[in-house]
Amino acid sequence: MANEIWTIKRCLEWTKEYLAERGEEHPRLSAEWLLCAATGLARIDLYMRMDETLSAAQLETMHAAVVRRAKGEPLQYITGSTQFRMIDVACAPGVLIPRPETEMLVEEVLNYLDTEVLSPEAAARQRVELPWNDEVEEARKAEAALADERATAERRAANLTAADEAALGGDVLGSRAYAEELADREAEEAAAQAAEAETAEAAEPELDEYGIAIEGADQETASAQDAAAPAPAEPRTARVLEVGCGTGCISLSLAWERRGHVTCTATDIESRAIDLATKNRDALGLTSDEVAFSLTNLVSSIPREEWGTFDVLVSNPPYIPTDVMRSLPHEVKDFEPDLALEGGADGLDIFRRLLNAAPYMLRAGGLFACELYEGTLDAAAELCRQAGLSDVRIVHDLTDRPRIVRAIVTEPKQRQ
């Protein structure tokens, strides 16, 4: 076998059949992920270089990866990474793998921050309604359409369905999200440039009856306007507290997507999680001032002087009810850490402790948001109401299952 020629195409087909025989649900998609990790190629590039021969080192890496996958080990642990919203996140055994549902949790927090905390200039997705926005909107739609076309081409080339992509949170969805984000940023820049150009135009001077400019009239008018106009509010930096950070994907996404306007403090009880999250932060070029990780139990390490200063307390805590743990898929219950999964008899053990901490950690009007097991959301919402939180809402995920509870702290507390 060592002397045989293994092309990308041959290896892809062999791996697909091998995994299918061992019960792999998406054998071709898994084969692609493993080949991409072994070769360093993007999925679309595999199909552009089907006749390329794999090196001995690539074959050895691929063989070890296929053996691990055949035993049920998650792809993200084998390849060492996954995509989460706009960032790549390193993954490792002992730390929970980020899920697509958690991307929605980040979205909920961003929407709150943009609306309630950050100024329009600071919120990257806030757009000024100006006459030229029609042109900008057309450009945004064209950019998103291009991403859709690219996604369709990838699926056709790989003979994948949209369901295959959704099952593993593939990079097609990520590329579309990135294109839309990029288009929104271009829209903001275009609006800002147009506003600057309009401001730069000289105001028409006031003329006397002979058509001669009245000296000092424009300065007086400008001074009067300046005096009448209220001073713009100073944009402030939003402060987010995340409990149970795992890979760091939530805090890192918040800081990355609103860089310069959001800082995060994130905790975890597992040292491997803190080490991995720090690695992910460094890979993004973020600093400890932007995202600070702390090894601690829940909020135990938060200094007393910082209580009541956070705008958001967000968490994807352990939330699987004990009875449900036994029915989890093999690759979850046998490979991912129980500590990050099991939430007690009703799945809400850690949630109750977070709910108790929220009024002490958050300022008045601060957001408390948690991802939870679908069967516990109604109970969690009722607990929030009983605790005195307001505007309690349940958010459904992309499969229309209840997934997130969010509420507002109206009356912060102080421990004596």
Side-chain angles (χ1 to χ4, degrees):
M1 184 172 179
N3 296 325
E4 295 182 41
I5 296 176
W6 284 82
T7 62
I8 288 178
K9 181 179 180 180
R10 183 185 178 192
C11 189
L12 180 63
E13 294 300 324
W14 185 91
T15 303
K16 181 191 72 172
E17 294 176 6
Y18 181 84
L19 294 178
E21 290 172 357
R22 283 152 182 79
E24 171 68 47
E25 188 175 359
H26 302 277
R28 188 178 190 89
L29 195 56
S30 294
E32 290 174 345
W33 275 41
L34 298 177
L35 258 176
C36 287
T39 61
L41 296 174
R43 277 175 51 206
I44 192 66
D45 292 331
L46 293 178
Y47 292 89
M48 303 292 289
R49 302 163 71 167
M50 281 291 199
D51 295 330
E52 188 171 299
T53 302
L54 297 175
S55 69
Q58 290 171 335
L59 277 173
E60 184 177 351
T61 299
M62 190 66 182
H63 177 264
V66 171
V67 170
R68 292 170 65 184
R69 183 57 187 163
K71 293 178 180 178
E73 186 172 352
L75 283 166
Q76 295 89 340
Y77 287 161
I78 300 171
T79 63
S81 69
T82 192
Q83 187 174 32
F84 186 86
R85 290 181 65 87
M86 297 174 65
I87 63 176
D88 288 326
V89 178
C91 300
V95 182
L96 190 70
I97 298 168
R99 272 26 180 215
E101 295 85 356
T102 309
E103 296 187 4
M104 293 188 62
L105 180 61
V106 173
E107 190 71 18
E108 284 297 315
V109 173
L110 287 175
N111 288 338
Y112 167 81
L113 293 176
D114 289 350
T115 304
E116 305 296 334
V117 181
L118 303 177
S119 68
E121 293 79 11
R125 295 188 180 180
Q126 289 286 88
R127 301 176 59 212
V128 183
E129 293 300 327
L130 296 171
W132 52 83
N133 266 1
D134 288 341
E135 297 179 13
V136 173
E137 178 64 15
E138 288 302 316
R140 191 196 70 80
K141 289 180 179 179
E143 195 76 37
L146 182 61
D148 281 332
E149 290 176 7
R150 181 175 182 271
T152 302
E154 283 189 342
R155 281 199 294 267
R156 286 176 179 171
N159 194 26
L160 297 175
T161 65
D164 289 332
E165 289 289 349
L168 289 173
D171 56 10
V172 172
L173 296 178
S175 65
R176 185 182 299 113
Y178 176 76
E180 291 176 351
E181 180 74 15
L182 181 62
D184 282 344
R185 291 186 180 182
E186 290 174 348
E188 182 185 359
E189 292 173 3
Q193 291 172 359
E196 290 177 4
E198 183 178 341
T199 303
E201 293 180 3
E204 290 292 330
E206 185 180 348
L207 305 179
D208 62 16
E209 59 183 311
Y210 301 105
I212 300 174
I214 300 175
E215 186 176 349
D218 54 343
Q219 290 91 338
E220 292 174 5
T221 301
S223 298
Q225 291 174 343
D226 290 342
E234 283 292 326
R236 72 178 181 86
T237 300
R239 303 194 73 231
V240 175
L241 172 61
E242 181 191 1
V243 177
C245 64
T247 62
C249 60
I250 294 176
S251 287
L252 294 175
S253 289
L254 294 172
W256 179 258
E257 295 185 41
R258 297 296 183 271
R259 191 161 192 181
H261 303 289
V262 174
T263 63
C264 301
T265 297
T267 71
D268 204 291
I269 198 171
E270 170 60 62
S271 60
R272 286 175 293 182
I274 294 298
D275 291 343
L276 186 61
T278 302
K279 173 184 175 182
N280 284 323
R281 180 189 66 195
D282 295 345
L284 288 169
L286 293 169
T287 68
S288 58
D289 289 334
E290 294 173 294
V291 183
F293 293 112
S294 176
L295 179 64
T296 190
N297 185 16
L298 302 181
V299 298
S300 299
S301 66
I302 305 302
R304 183 64 65 96
E305 59 269 21
E306 293 187 23
W307 290 14
T309 66
F310 293 99
D311 297 291
V312 175
L313 194 166
V314 61
S315 181
N316 175 20
Y319 61 63
I320 305 297
T322 302
D323 288 344
V324 179
M325 286 288 294
R326 289 189 283 270
S327 62
L328 291 177
H330 163 59
E331 69 176 67
V332 176
K333 68 180 179 181
D334 293 335
F335 289 94
E336 296 198 65
D338 287 353
L339 185 65
L341 293 169
E342 187 171 355
D346 65 355
L348 296 175
D349 282 2
I350 301 300
F351 173 79
R352 289 186 178 89
R353 298 173 65 183
L354 293 172
L355 178 58
N356 181 63
Y360 296 98
M361 297 295 113
L362 294 172
R363 61 166 178 79
L367 175 70
F368 174 58
C370 281
E371 177 183 331
L372 296 170
Y373 180 67
E374 60 188 85
T376 64
L377 267 297
D378 288 336
E382 182 58 29
L383 288 172
C384 288
R385 296 186 188 98
Q386 292 175 7
L389 275 63
S390 65
D391 192 19
V392 180
R393 304 182 207 171
I394 294 174
V395 180
H396 288 235
D397 62 21
L398 295 174
T399 62
D400 202 31
R401 292 172 176 157
R403 184 60 60 190
I404 297 166
V405 63
R406 49 161 292 169
I408 299 298
V409 169
T410 52
E411 296 183 7
K413 297 181 181 179
Q414 292 183 353
R415 284 202 176 105
Q416 302 300 323

